[in-house]
Amino acid sequence: MKTLFPILSALLFAGCTTTPEASRALYARHRASEASGVCHVHQVAMTRKTVPIQYGLPSEIESAHANDARMKRFPFTCRSPLGGCVIEPDAPKTAEVSVCPECVGAEQRWVMSHPDRTSE
Ligand SMILES: [Zn+2]
């Protein structure tokens, strides 16, 4: 499972920043928060939770704007990681994610103010 996280994170972060350097910096902050157990956005302790991995084509594709907001303003919301379209027989069914209570609240507020997250 620990080897799966970097792959899933890379998929999650793909396309949400403008440069490879920015993407690497965002990924580094995310990994540091995972390691410390403290959300780098809200500076609060996080909990760990096991969630299902979502395989296949997502039913809803968020806009780049929504994805960018998610990664920069509320990165630890207990969201199921995307496992990709190819489902291997031995593919893991679940992943452990970090959950920040402030991120969860920020996401809820953002969703309420952006009802159509699939457009810019
Ligand atoms: Zn947070």
Side-chain angles (χ1 to χ4, degrees):
M1 183 56 61
K2 290 184 179 190
T3 58
L4 180 64
F5 180 77
I7 297 167
L8 295 174
S9 295
L11 291 172
L12 188 63
F13 290 132
C16 62
T17 56
T18 56
T19 66
E21 294 79 19
S23 180
R24 279 193 289 274
L26 185 61
Y27 179 73
R29 283 193 300 274
H30 193 94
R31 292 287 293 162
S33 289
E34 288 277 344
S36 70
V38 176
C39 174
H40 64 275
V41 176
H42 300 105
Q43 305 302 317
V44 300
M46 299 188 290
T47 58
R48 302 286 289 169
K49 184 172 181 179
T50 300
V51 297
I53 297 173
Q54 291 185 345
Y55 289 100
L57 188 63
S59 60
E60 178 181 287
I61 306 293
E62 286 188 322
S63 69
H65 174 69
N67 196 21
D68 195 55
R70 176 176 307 289
M71 297 317 303
K72 292 178 180 171
R73 296 165 57 185
F74 38 87
F76 300 104
T77 59
C78 195
R79 188 181 178 108
S80 292
L82 302 177
C85 293
V86 177
I87 307 170
E88 299 292 334
D90 60 344
K93 305 270 188 281
T94 60
E96 193 171 288
V97 298
S98 295
V99 181
C100 164
E102 295 297 323
C103 283
V104 172
E107 179 187 42
Q108 290 171 348
R109 290 186 296 277
W110 194 89
V111 167
M112 293 292 286
S113 62
H114 299 82
D116 185 5
R117 298 177 307 283
T118 58
S119 63
E120 294 299 321

